[in-house]
Amino acid sequence: QRQKDREERLALVLWRRPIVTLHYFLLETFITLKKWTLKLWQRRGTVFLILVLCSLFSLAYSTEGAHQKYVQYLEKRFLWCAYWVGLGILSSVGLGTGLHTFLLYLGPHIASVTLAAYECGSTDFPEPPYPDQIICPDGGVEGSISLWSIVSKVRLEACMWGAGTAIGELPPYFMARAARLSGADPDDEDYEEFEEMLEQAQTAQDFVTRAKLGVQNMVQKVGFFGILACASIPNPLFDLAGITCGHFLVPFWTFFGATLIGKAIVKMHIQKLFVIITFSKHIVEQMVSLIGSLPRVGPSIQKPFSEYLEAQRSKLHHHTGAGTPATENWLAWVFEKVVLVMVCYFIFSIINSMAQSYAKRRQQSRQQRYTEEKTK
């Protein structure tokens, strides 16, 4: 019956049953808003304190004075950090989409800074317009740029994105911990799969199950350093580490501290160095020439890549007020459309996920009524 209910929920998607899916999505949204309103009311003292602090900041923001430059600096830094933390949380949570914001946002940002640094001979880009637009500063010396200067330039946003991915790993941990402490059956299919995996630990034969058991054993036995090792490398099974830590009641700061260090420091520097080295000037030139050497299609594919790189170089040397180059390349157009499709798919997946959550509520309510009638 459980398998049948799960298949019924998974069939509830926008492109198959749009009216029912939207209806369930709205009902689940209303229930979630009601739940969060009650939680905020229960913590009304904390909410009041936050509102007072926001009011004081708003007063300082709107009052003229010598402090304005510090307020504006703090506002700019806070919004910049919040943007990357939010993208990191979205990448980690994903809501079943696997939307990887590193590939869509942070990776291209690091790549553009790398290409600009080698072209300009400096990372001291004028602010503004950086980070919205990169323009070469006056006085850059070609060949004077180093790998570590680029690493330092993008360190803040990379670490904030990594911290966001660490925060996004907390829901599985809290869900599994609450389920273990209360003894209740959690409303989560990943946790059900985890419990089934523990029951079948001795008889597991396939590679995926054995890999999951390996992660679970490492986290359970090694503790802090096991979590750190799992978080420091690209690991699609890390959700299981969060569930394992929650299930075996690993202390919060042991789990979150190791996850934060692994994802925001170790893993981010590995990914950052990979992107910077890949998009360094001589590697990019070699890749373009390699594309041109492909038989038959090489020259036709090489031309738009070369035009795109040349257009980016001209933009870097173009200063504000002189009119912006209006050239549009099909590569940039394709990338924009890919990002748009991914964001739309992400929104559809949120709607599907919330609709399926409401369907699960209905199934549980129906099962409960059936059990009560049976016991009468």
Side-chain angles (χ1 to χ4, degrees):
Q1 182 61 40
R2 178 182 288 185
Q3 183 65 28
K4 186 179 177 182
D5 287 345
R6 184 179 296 181
E7 289 173 0
E8 185 182 327
R9 287 197 305 274
L10 292 175
L12 189 66
V13 289
L14 273 171
W15 43 90
R16 289 182 182 172
R17 301 169 65 190
I19 304 298
V20 177
T21 304
L22 286 172
H23 180 221
Y24 282 11
F25 164 72
L26 292 172
L27 290 172
E28 181 67 16
T29 303
F30 176 75
I31 292 169
T32 305
L33 289 174
K34 183 181 176 182
K35 188 190 297 182
W36 278 102
T37 303
L38 289 172
K39 284 185 178 180
L40 289 173
W41 177 250
Q42 290 168 358
R43 295 168 176 80
R44 50 189 176 273
T46 307
V47 173
F48 178 74
L49 181 62
I50 293 170
L51 288 174
V52 169
L53 290 173
C54 289
S55 300
L56 290 173
F57 184 80
S58 178
L59 185 66
Y61 185 78
S62 58
T63 306
E64 294 294 332
H67 65 284
Q68 276 297 320
K69 61 180 181 179
Y70 302 108
V71 172
Q72 289 172 4
Y73 175 80
L74 286 174
E75 179 195 23
K76 181 181 176 182
R77 284 295 177 185
F78 174 78
L79 292 175
W80 183 240
C81 292
Y83 173 75
W84 289 110
V85 169
L87 286 175
I89 292 171
L90 285 177
S91 184
S92 192
V93 175
L95 293 175
T97 65
L99 176 73
H100 210 304
T101 52
F102 181 88
L103 297 176
L104 292 175
Y105 295 98
L106 184 59
H109 172 71
I110 295 172
S112 63
V113 169
T114 303
L115 291 170
Y118 280 105
E119 178 65 24
C120 302
S122 172
T123 57
D124 298 325
F125 309 126
E127 297 185 36
Y130 182 83
D132 298 323
Q133 182 186 357
I134 301 176
I135 294 175
C136 286
D138 296 326
V141 181
E142 189 175 352
S144 63
I145 203 71
S146 70
L147 178 70
W148 300 112
S149 61
I150 303 173
V151 168
S152 300
K153 186 67 177 177
V154 295
R155 181 177 288 122
L156 177 65
E157 47 265 50
C159 288
M160 289 299 106
W161 186 87
T165 61
I167 295 169
E169 299 294 350
L170 292 179
Y173 169 83
F174 284 125
M175 176 270 302
R177 184 181 178 87
R180 181 67 185 271
L181 290 172
S182 65
D185 184 26
D187 184 19
D188 189 87
E189 291 173 5
D190 288 337
Y191 188 75
E192 292 173 6
E193 183 184 341
F194 171 75
E195 288 193 320
E196 289 174 7
M197 187 189 71
L198 289 181
E199 292 170 3
Q200 301 169 0
Q202 302 300 324
T203 58
Q205 297 294 327
D206 59 294
F207 174 77
V208 175
T209 305
R210 279 185 287 155
K212 289 179 178 180
L213 285 168
V215 170
Q216 183 250 321
N217 289 330
M218 178 185 285
V219 169
Q220 186 184 353
K221 293 176 181 177
V222 185
F224 180 90
F225 292 103
I227 302 165
L228 181 63
C230 289
S232 298
I233 56 173
N235 185 359
L237 302 177
F238 192 79
D239 274 353
L240 188 65
I243 294 173
T244 301
C245 289
H247 181 79
F248 292 105
L249 303 181
V250 172
F252 171 76
W253 286 111
T254 301
F255 169 71
F256 186 63
T259 305
L260 187 64
I261 293 169
K263 285 185 172 288
I265 299 175
V266 182
K267 181 182 173 184
M268 271 321 305
H269 276 82
I270 294 170
Q271 290 178 302
K272 198 164 42 171
L273 285 169
F274 175 77
V275 174
I276 292 170
I277 292 169
T278 303
F279 285 90
S280 59
K281 188 174 182 180
H282 63 284
I283 296 290
V284 171
E285 289 173 352
Q286 285 177 6
M287 284 195 297
V288 172
S289 61
L290 186 65
I291 290 170
S293 64
L294 292 173
R296 295 184 182 179
V297 295
S300 59
I301 298 176
Q302 185 189 36
K303 186 180 178 182
F305 275 97
S306 301
E307 289 176 352
Y308 179 73
L309 290 172
E310 192 57 42
Q312 296 308 306
R313 289 193 183 102
S314 65
K315 283 182 182 178
L316 292 172
H317 294 289
H318 179 81
H319 291 275
T320 309
T324 52
T327 55
E328 181 71 22
N329 186 276
W330 68 269
L331 284 173
W333 183 87
V334 168
F335 181 74
E336 287 176 4
K337 298 303 177 280
V338 168
V339 171
L340 182 63
V341 168
M342 289 293 290
V343 170
C344 290
Y345 179 66
F346 181 62
I347 293 169
F348 290 161
S349 296
I350 291 174
I351 295 171
N352 292 337
S353 179
M354 293 185 71
Q356 289 165 11
S357 296
Y358 184 77
K360 188 165 188 176
R361 288 180 193 274
R362 285 172 57 90
Q363 290 169 351
Q364 289 174 338
S365 176
R366 187 175 60 211
Q367 182 66 28
Q368 189 176 357
R369 285 198 306 270
Y370 175 76
T371 306
E372 289 173 355
E373 289 173 1
K374 196 174 179 180
T375 54
K376 285 181 182 178

